[in-house]
Amino acid sequence: MEIFFGILNSIANVITNAWWLILPLFLFVIAWKLYLIYLRTQYVKATEWSMVELKVPENILKTPKSMEQIFAAMASIYSFGLTTINVYIEGQVEPWISFELVGHSGGVHFYVYFPSKFRNLLESAIYAQYPDAEIHPAQDYTELLGTGLPNKTYDLWGADMILSRESYYPIKTYPYFEEMVEERRVDPIASITEVMSGLKEGEMLWLQVLISPTGNMPILVNNWQQEGEEKIEELAGRPKAIKQKGSTVLEWGRNVVFAPAEPPIWGVKKEEAAPTLRFLHPGEQEIVKAIANKISKFGFETNIRWIYIDHRDSFSRNNVSAIMGAFHQLRMENLNFFKPNKKTITLKTGWLAKTFPRYKKLVEFSRKRKLFDGYVKRRFGRYNKILSEKFPILNTEELATIYHFPLGVVAAPKLKKLEAKKAGPPGELPIET
């Protein structure tokens, strides 16, 4: 105990005698952080956004593979590394796009909300895969309810969805649902569109998938591909290289001392035991193949957010269970699955909530307001890319599983599709001169 108090006394003496040095450094760190927050906030606010509605013909024959190619094209919005000037002078952040699926009593609609400068990229990517599709400018549907839900008329329920395990573990993707025989073919988006097609007057179900490309920059918070490679090495029984602590000068000194006995080692420690490869049973082989497949494709930081809205006097959680079931169908017990983010789900549990009902009600109301505000503003995460956060990483195959145009086997009656195809005039049409 005396040692403990002695340490505290020493710390107090250092602070007392050196406060004039510590305080300016502390204030500088705070000021620098506030400066970056201001710069990035202004940059995000200055971004010009557009919204379009996507419509495709009936009886679509293309699989989600076509949508996967569209997501692959969206990787082009990645900056490939923001420069120091971009980050600390201009306040730039990596851009993002929101792919949205909206259902109400009037039908089911596909929207995309994106920075206006990427319009040509988006349209060319869609037309390349769906030549008969139509892209129309659309009004923001979230404006129809005003601001500040829930209110006296409407209540809501929803959450952000996150992965249960590390991002390099994949979810069940569309190849698992594909069959050569059409009668046995299953579309993973069918369960969501069916729920949306059954909504009654006043009910709304909104789903948005915000994506922001990742890269291989070492400063990224989500270095998911490298983590996936390390996991494969671990499962295969290969020894993990442990980084050597210390500076290059210390490494140089160590190598000089031990040079007569062993070759120089830079950056890593030599493994004491010789590598021994493990025999992988079928389950482990499946995991290794799944991880290898996921990290082989381009990944996106992803924020999936959904909201169910209905009148207060008729609000029911039945459709909430249905939307959660749609996410559960993508569950792989030995790999990964979606779950609601406890910080955003509009339900407060725990002994405090049970003991103090008013506290529970206040927390749930606050979460609902934040969730709705985040959806309407298409906020990427809690801090909207202004501060660093760690997001789930989904690759193009996983994104195409969640968001794609339904196949012809999907019988959602209110799915908005084109009833006729557009065609150009015949080439031999006479032209008046």
Side-chain angles (χ1 to χ4, degrees):
M1 186 64 72
E2 293 181 0
I3 296 176
F4 175 74
F5 283 111
I7 293 174
L8 290 180
N9 186 50
S10 299
I11 295 174
N13 289 335
V14 170
I15 295 175
T16 302
N17 296 324
W19 65 268
W20 54 272
L21 180 62
I22 297 174
L23 183 60
L25 290 175
F26 178 73
L27 294 177
F28 173 78
V29 171
I30 294 178
W32 179 251
K33 193 169 186 178
L34 293 175
Y35 165 74
L36 292 179
I37 291 174
Y38 171 77
L39 278 182
R40 292 168 183 171
T41 301
Q42 294 302 112
Y43 178 81
V44 172
K45 286 184 177 180
T47 302
E48 181 182 352
W49 296 86
S50 299
M51 172 172 273
V52 295
E53 182 176 4
L54 310 179
K55 293 184 179 181
V56 293
E58 294 184 359
N59 300 321
I60 244 181
L61 299 177
K62 293 194 174 185
T63 68
K65 186 70 175 179
S66 297
M67 184 59 71
E68 183 178 350
Q69 300 308 308
I70 294 176
F71 282 116
M74 295 303 101
S76 301
I77 72 175
Y78 179 58
S79 68
F80 292 94
L82 297 172
T83 66
T84 302
I85 294 177
N86 295 147
V87 175
Y88 300 110
I89 303 300
E90 300 173 357
Q92 290 190 26
V93 297
E94 291 293 344
W96 64 89
I97 296 177
S98 178
F99 288 82
E100 303 178 3
L101 183 59
V102 177
H104 48 73
S105 60
V108 182
H109 304 262
F110 289 81
Y111 295 99
V112 184
Y113 187 85
F114 59 96
S116 301
K117 62 183 179 180
F118 299 129
R119 178 181 294 274
N120 290 339
L121 170 65
L122 177 69
E123 292 182 350
S124 61
I126 293 173
Y127 286 135
Q129 302 301 322
Y130 300 93
D132 298 323
E134 290 188 8
I135 304 175
H136 302 284
Q139 180 186 2
D140 189 352
Y141 58 91
T142 64
E143 298 175 354
L144 301 177
L145 297 180
T147 58
L149 260 64
N151 53 28
K152 294 181 178 179
T153 305
Y154 291 100
D155 198 2
L156 65 87
W157 186 277
D160 288 1
M161 304 300 291
I162 59 176
L163 294 174
S164 63
R165 303 180 69 183
E166 292 84 355
S167 288
Y168 51 78
Y169 287 105
I171 59 171
K172 184 185 291 185
T173 54
Y174 67 85
Y176 286 89
F177 297 88
E178 291 182 342
E179 292 282 354
M180 296 300 296
V181 181
E182 184 173 349
E183 288 76 10
R184 296 172 56 189
R185 192 174 299 158
V186 179
D187 192 341
I189 205 173
S191 56
I192 297 179
T193 55
E194 287 291 343
V195 172
M196 290 181 170
S197 293
L199 296 175
K200 63 180 185 294
E201 185 70 28
E203 284 184 303
M204 285 161 278
L205 186 54
W206 300 349
L207 171 68
Q208 63 182 194
V209 183
L210 298 100
I211 62 172
S212 180
T214 64
N216 295 320
M217 301 297 291
I219 60 173
L220 284 177
V221 177
N222 285 305
N223 201 5
W224 67 288
Q225 287 173 317
Q226 180 180 339
E227 293 174 356
E229 292 173 355
E230 292 174 355
K231 187 63 179 180
I232 291 175
E233 297 294 309
E234 176 187 334
L235 291 172
R238 296 188 179 95
K240 181 179 179 182
I242 305 172
K243 290 189 176 181
Q244 175 76 21
K245 295 182 180 180
S247 64
T248 305
V249 176
L250 293 177
E251 289 180 342
W252 179 84
R254 178 194 178 282
N255 289 329
V256 168
V257 173
F258 292 96
E262 62 179 36
I265 300 173
W266 301 99
V268 296
K269 287 184 178 180
K270 186 178 69 173
E271 292 295 328
E272 296 179 0
T276 303
L277 298 182
R278 295 177 59 244
F279 172 77
L280 302 180
H281 61 70
E284 290 176 325
Q285 294 178 21
E286 180 183 347
I287 293 174
V288 168
K289 290 179 181 178
I291 294 176
N293 177 68
K294 176 163 184 176
I295 65 177
S296 68
K297 300 187 178 184
F298 207 97
F300 294 79
E301 291 183 317
T302 307
N303 188 174
I304 300 177
R305 184 181 292 126
W306 64 272
I307 295 179
Y308 168 69
I309 302 172
D310 194 9
H311 289 99
R312 280 192 173 275
D313 54 2
S314 60
F315 191 89
S316 171
R317 295 185 186 177
N318 293 337
N319 287 318
V320 172
S321 301
I323 191 69
M324 291 301 299
F327 283 105
H328 281 311
Q329 70 174 336
L330 307 177
R331 184 185 187 107
M332 295 284 282
E333 290 292 347
N334 61 336
L335 294 171
N336 221 335
F337 56 90
F338 286 111
K339 65 178 182 179
N341 187 340
K342 291 183 179 180
K343 296 180 180 179
T344 63
I345 190 170
T346 53
L347 175 66
K348 179 62 178 175
T349 58
W351 68 271
L352 267 178
K354 293 179 180 179
T355 307
F356 303 100
R358 296 188 63 179
Y359 166 75
K360 171 183 169 67
K361 186 176 181 180
L362 180 63
V363 172
E364 290 181 351
F365 178 81
S366 175
R367 288 185 180 181
K368 290 177 181 180
R369 279 289 176 97
K370 289 179 181 178
L371 186 70
F372 182 80
D373 183 68
Y375 191 105
V376 170
K377 295 180 179 178
R378 277 75 181 185
R379 183 177 291 113
F380 203 105
R382 183 178 180 183
Y383 303 112
N384 208 29
K385 289 268 186 180
I386 294 170
L387 296 177
S388 296
E389 296 179 73
K390 190 167 185 178
F391 298 97
I393 305 293
L394 300 181
N395 68 5
T396 53
E397 184 177 302
E398 293 172 306
L399 290 173
T401 302
I402 299 169
Y403 188 97
H404 62 268
F405 298 120
L407 303 174
V409 296
V410 178
K414 294 184 180 180
L415 191 62
K416 294 299 180 182
K417 292 185 178 181
L418 297 177
E419 298 180 357
K421 296 182 180 179
K422 286 185 176 181
E428 65 276 8
L429 186 70
I431 301 176
E432 182 177 355
T433 58

